Amino acid sequence: MAELKSCKICKLNYQVTDDDLKFYESVSPVFNGKKYFIPSPTLCPNCRQQRRLSFCNEFNLYPGECGMCKKRTLTEHPPHANQPIYCKECWHSDKWEPRDFGREVDFGRPFFDQVHDLKSSVPAQALTIDGENLNCDYMHYAGSSKNCYLIMHADFCENCSYGYGFKKVISCVDGFYNLHSELCYDCVDVYKCYGLKGCQDCVNCSSSAFLRDCIGCQNCFLSVGLRNKQYYFQSKQLSKEEYESKMREIDLGSYTQYQKCHARLKELEKDYCFKQFHTTNVQNCSGDYLKNCKDVQFGFDCEDVEGGKYLFQMVLGSKNVYDIYQYGTNLQASYECCISGANGYGLVFTLDGHMSSKNLAYCWYIEHGENLFGCVSMHHRSYCILNKQYTQEEYEALVPKVIEHMQKSNEWGEFFDSKIALFGYNKTTAQMWFPMKKEDVLTRGWKWDEYESERPNVVSVIKAADLPDNISDVDDEILQAAIECEESGKLFKLTPFELSFYRDNRLPLPRKAFYQRNLARFARRNPRKFYKRSCEKCSKEILTTYTKELAAKVCCEECYMKAVY
Ligand SMILES: [Zn+2]
Ligand SMILES: [Zn+2]
Ligand SMILES: [Zn+2]
């Protein structure tokens, strides 16, 4: 029976529908022929999402060392956490055995505490990298890529740097949600695009710069809301010759010029009437930034997903899933997971369930695992509880006892508590979407972490303001120096690949560190909230994710279609 519940944390009411209850039943695990029902959630959808995000440190990487081969690496674990780490090669090698850390279940203690203690003692991968990769030592929550550097939530990429949400892209730098695209710079939400600079919300566009909400355009500059156009310059149709002569006067290799164009685009957007949602080819869905989805409710940033609810950043095919933060890729019949997918099936309350894992509950970093309960940092194992090996019969007899224990301690049916997260709340993705103050975080018994890496030892430091305005005036010596970010004061270095990318594509050097650039792009996108506004054209009341700050004018889908086509 459908219920109206009050969230245990924020006290807001939320609805649990009959379909939701059917789903919880369908993913409830079976042991020894008996189904162990997953109860309906005690937190509202937002608090559940916040709880999952509080386990993800996607952007704060620290210098570290592999505990086995002593190779230097970057890692998501700050040095004071004392988390043992191995590099990708050592972690996957047979030189160690995660079951050696296995332990008996203690029925006198909360189960989550036991999982946390185990997690803190078993060597973790320094960075979360999956699949076959070549020359991609410094990426995180990413996989199956070649020659990439500092890309996150990314897969199937080649020659990319500084990206978030990159899928199947080549030679893209500094982007947020670039899908199936090539040679894009400083672009946000571009799909099947080629050779774009400073664009946002574009599909099938090429050889253009500073476009917003355009489809099928080539050789266009500083324009909004175009469909299948060529040679548009500042929203005016020009001839090919006129356009080319205008473009000769524009040098985006100049930082000043680049910033002016950005500001001009913002001006143009003020008069533009945006469509209420960014969705393409969806059927019976609610949410935003959805592509090729069917029957997805409250989904955001999803592509090719069928059947599910409360889904965030699910890509490349998933089915029958609820409450997932990242990443899908054919994840099925799963509930309350974080950073999980790649042909997973039957994953519940699991963080990092990767590579064809099946029937995992309360696990924390598993590759190719099956029938595991409360296990951490393992691959190719089955029938373990807290990393201790059992036979199938023993496993099926013991798990129900653990579940009964967790029912008594109010842990069964809940995702891991944020109290056992490994990172300070302020270092996690939760702080981006659900910003909180230090005292409020501490009041909830969660962690806060003020540690910053020491400034790197470099020969010289150049203040961002002292960089040459034009890329033509930058010489190779810049590679030996560090640049001081104009916003955070943190130092960052350029890679040789990056410098040649800026030179080849006539782009200015960045003045801000990657983290700040990424936050700025994040701020260009809409929140995962619905606002009631009225359609600019027909005055009908509509739902939209645009705040007044992000779009002065919004319109309903029908009015939008009439206006732009
Ligand atoms: Zn809540
Ligand atoms: Zn190693
Ligand atoms: Zn309308």
Side-chain angles (χ1 to χ4, degrees):
M1 280 282 285
E3 20 179 353
L4 185 68
K5 300 184 78 166
S6 164
C7 173
K8 220 166 60 178
I9 292 182
C10 74
K11 313 295 176 210
L12 285 178
N13 289 338
Y14 61 99
Q15 193 84 40
V16 178
T17 67
D18 289 337
D19 281 346
D20 298 344
L21 293 170
K22 262 183 231 155
F23 174 82
Y24 303 136
E25 190 193 324
S26 76
V27 292
S28 294
V30 175
F31 300 99
N32 234 341
K34 188 175 165 206
K35 192 167 242 197
Y36 288 80
F37 288 98
I38 294 174
S40 67
T42 62
L43 302 191
C44 73
N46 271 336
C47 288
R48 301 202 303 268
Q49 158 83 331
Q50 180 183 22
R51 181 167 61 181
R52 286 188 295 272
L53 298 185
S54 72
F55 283 82
C56 303
N57 170 13
E58 297 182 77
F59 298 102
N60 297 283
L61 304 182
Y62 309 89
E65 187 187 271
C66 169
M68 192 176 295
C69 73
K70 308 296 171 196
K71 184 170 99 173
R72 278 170 55 80
T73 177
L74 279 182
T75 174
E76 61 176 339
H77 301 283
H80 58 81
N82 295 317
Q83 172 73 41
I85 52 163
Y86 285 166
C87 71
K88 181 174 153 50
E89 289 69 36
C90 291
W91 192 86
H92 286 93
S93 74
D94 54 12
K95 293 180 198 148
W96 73 292
E97 174 54 68
R99 288 176 301 186
D100 292 347
F101 298 82
R103 51 198 70 179
E104 301 270 348
V105 179
D106 179 347
F107 290 94
R109 279 181 78 199
F111 191 67
F112 291 169
D113 290 355
Q114 301 179 54
V115 176
H116 171 263
D117 289 355
L118 180 64
K119 178 70 187 170
S120 309
S121 63
V122 185
Q125 269 202 87
L127 297 167
T128 300
I129 302 177
D130 270 339
E132 293 292 315
N133 298 285
L134 190 75
N135 187 26
C136 290
D137 288 344
Y138 296 145
M139 60 182 197
H140 189 33
Y141 289 161
S144 310
S145 295
K146 250 163 119 175
N147 305 321
C148 291
Y149 179 74
L150 287 183
I151 54 172
M152 282 83 175
H153 181 36
D155 291 287
F156 311 105
C157 299
E158 224 179 298
N159 301 327
C160 293
S161 295
Y162 311 111
Y164 185 81
F166 274 18
K167 306 289 159 180
K168 299 196 174 173
V169 295
I170 304 172
S171 304
C172 288
V173 172
D174 255 27
F176 207 107
Y177 269 91
N178 290 186
L179 309 173
H180 309 271
S181 293
E182 193 172 339
L183 258 180
C184 293
Y185 170 77
D186 187 27
C187 289
V188 174
D189 293 292
V190 293
Y191 181 63
K192 297 190 175 170
C193 289
Y194 181 91
L196 301 188
K197 295 170 184 173
C199 294
Q200 186 172 359
D201 300 328
C202 290
V203 180
N204 283 326
C205 293
S206 60
S207 310
S208 299
F210 300 103
L211 302 184
R212 179 84 193 261
D213 192 18
C214 290
I215 301 179
C217 297
Q218 291 120 46
N219 299 301
C220 290
F221 184 76
L222 255 174
S223 302
V224 181
L226 301 179
R227 294 295 178 269
N228 307 312
K229 300 292 188 219
Q230 269 195 76
Y231 310 121
Y232 256 66
F233 185 91
Q234 300 221 34
S235 310
K236 276 199 199 77
Q237 175 77 70
L238 301 182
S239 71
K240 180 172 188 279
E241 292 69 31
E242 287 165 334
Y243 180 84
E244 283 169 354
S245 114
K246 280 275 187 199
M247 286 309 290
R248 272 193 291 275
E249 293 163 24
I250 309 273
D251 182 7
L252 295 180
S254 149
Y255 181 72
T256 318
Q257 180 86 250
Y258 193 95
Q259 293 307 106
K260 271 188 192 156
C261 291
H262 231 303
R264 179 79 191 114
L265 180 64
K266 288 274 143 241
E267 285 302 310
L268 290 176
E269 287 172 2
K270 282 188 185 154
D271 296 321
Y272 184 66
C273 191
F274 287 92
K275 188 171 76 151
Q276 59 191 123
F277 296 120
H278 311 70
T279 48
T280 9
N281 190 24
V282 298
Q283 234 181 305
N284 182 33
C285 291
S286 74
D288 203 1
Y289 297 105
L290 301 176
K291 279 181 196 70
N292 311 326
C293 289
K294 200 179 158 207
D295 303 321
V296 169
Q297 305 310 316
F298 212 81
F300 291 87
D301 298 301
C302 294
E303 188 190 357
D304 296 325
V305 180
E306 193 182 329
K309 209 167 175 179
Y310 310 122
L311 305 175
F312 309 87
Q313 302 175 210
M314 295 282 284
V315 290
L316 311 175
S318 281
K319 231 176 175 171
N320 198 20
V321 280
Y322 262 52
D323 280 81
I324 315 280
Y325 173 65
Q326 279 195 35
Y327 56 88
T329 315
N330 195 30
L331 176 69
Q332 296 196 26
S334 295
Y335 170 55
E336 273 270 29
C337 294
C338 211
I339 325 289
S340 291
N343 308 314
Y345 189 94
L347 313 187
V348 295
F349 312 109
T350 285
L351 245 164
D352 282 298
H354 303 282
M355 318 300 285
S356 310
S357 288
K358 287 187 181 62
N359 302 329
L360 308 182
Y362 294 101
C363 288
W364 197 339
Y365 207 97
I366 304 292
E367 293 180 5
H368 303 279
E370 274 186 48
N371 300 302
L372 300 171
F373 198 102
C375 289
V376 312
S377 303
M378 300 184 131
H379 60 94
H380 294 95
R381 296 287 177 256
S382 53
Y383 299 114
C384 296
I385 304 169
L386 292 178
N387 285 26
K388 186 173 170 0
Q389 184 71 61
Y390 296 93
T391 64
Q392 182 181 346
E393 292 68 33
E394 289 166 338
Y395 179 83
E396 300 223 332
L398 186 53
V399 167
K401 289 187 188 141
V402 181
I403 293 175
E404 276 161 38
H405 170 64
M406 292 174 74
Q407 283 165 338
K408 284 185 206 134
S409 55
N410 296 321
E411 293 172 301
W412 176 246
E414 302 288 346
F415 189 77
F416 293 123
D417 195 298
S418 300
K419 281 177 186 155
I420 69 159
L422 297 181
F423 313 109
Y425 183 87
N426 53 321
K427 302 287 183 185
T428 67
T429 312
Q431 183 67 350
M432 275 170 77
W433 291 98
F434 304 93
M436 280 177 72
K437 291 201 193 84
K438 182 181 175 181
E439 45 294 10
D440 299 333
V441 166
L442 298 177
T443 304
R444 288 193 183 181
W446 303 347
K447 297 180 189 86
W448 190 267
D449 182 3
E450 271 156 10
Y451 176 82
E452 295 291 344
S453 299
E454 281 165 38
R455 288 166 74 114
N457 245 338
V458 281
V459 184
S460 62
V461 172
I462 303 174
K463 282 198 186 318
D466 298 335
L467 288 172
D469 181 68
N470 201 299
I471 187 70
S472 309
D473 302 324
V474 174
D475 52 45
D476 285 350
E477 272 165 43
I478 191 84
L479 294 173
Q480 311 311 319
I483 302 169
E484 189 183 283
C485 169
E486 63 182 9
E487 203 177 308
S488 65
K490 284 194 191 164
L491 301 185
F492 63 99
K493 289 188 78 175
L494 300 175
T495 66
F497 164 80
E498 196 185 348
L499 182 59
S500 54
F501 180 89
Y502 298 142
R503 280 176 174 158
D504 295 348
N505 296 287
R506 289 214 61 75
L507 291 162
L509 295 182
R511 265 62 176 168
K512 292 185 174 100
F514 168 51
Y515 187 66
Q516 267 65 35
R517 305 200 305 265
N518 188 64
L519 279 184
R521 281 188 289 274
F522 173 77
R524 280 157 68 181
R525 305 181 85 235
N526 296 8
R528 289 170 182 167
K529 275 183 198 156
F530 298 123
Y531 300 93
K532 270 188 197 159
R533 293 180 64 173
S534 55
C535 170
E536 187 69 22
K537 311 217 184 254
C538 73
S539 308
K540 163 170 105 175
E541 188 179 87
I542 53 171
L543 286 179
T544 176
T545 54
Y546 281 102
T547 58
K548 293 226 163 81
E549 291 70 41
L550 285 164
K553 302 174 188 175
V554 281
C555 63
C556 72
E557 178 112 29
E558 297 80 62
C559 291
Y560 175 87
M561 294 310 257
K562 275 185 230 154
V564 297
Y565 287 96

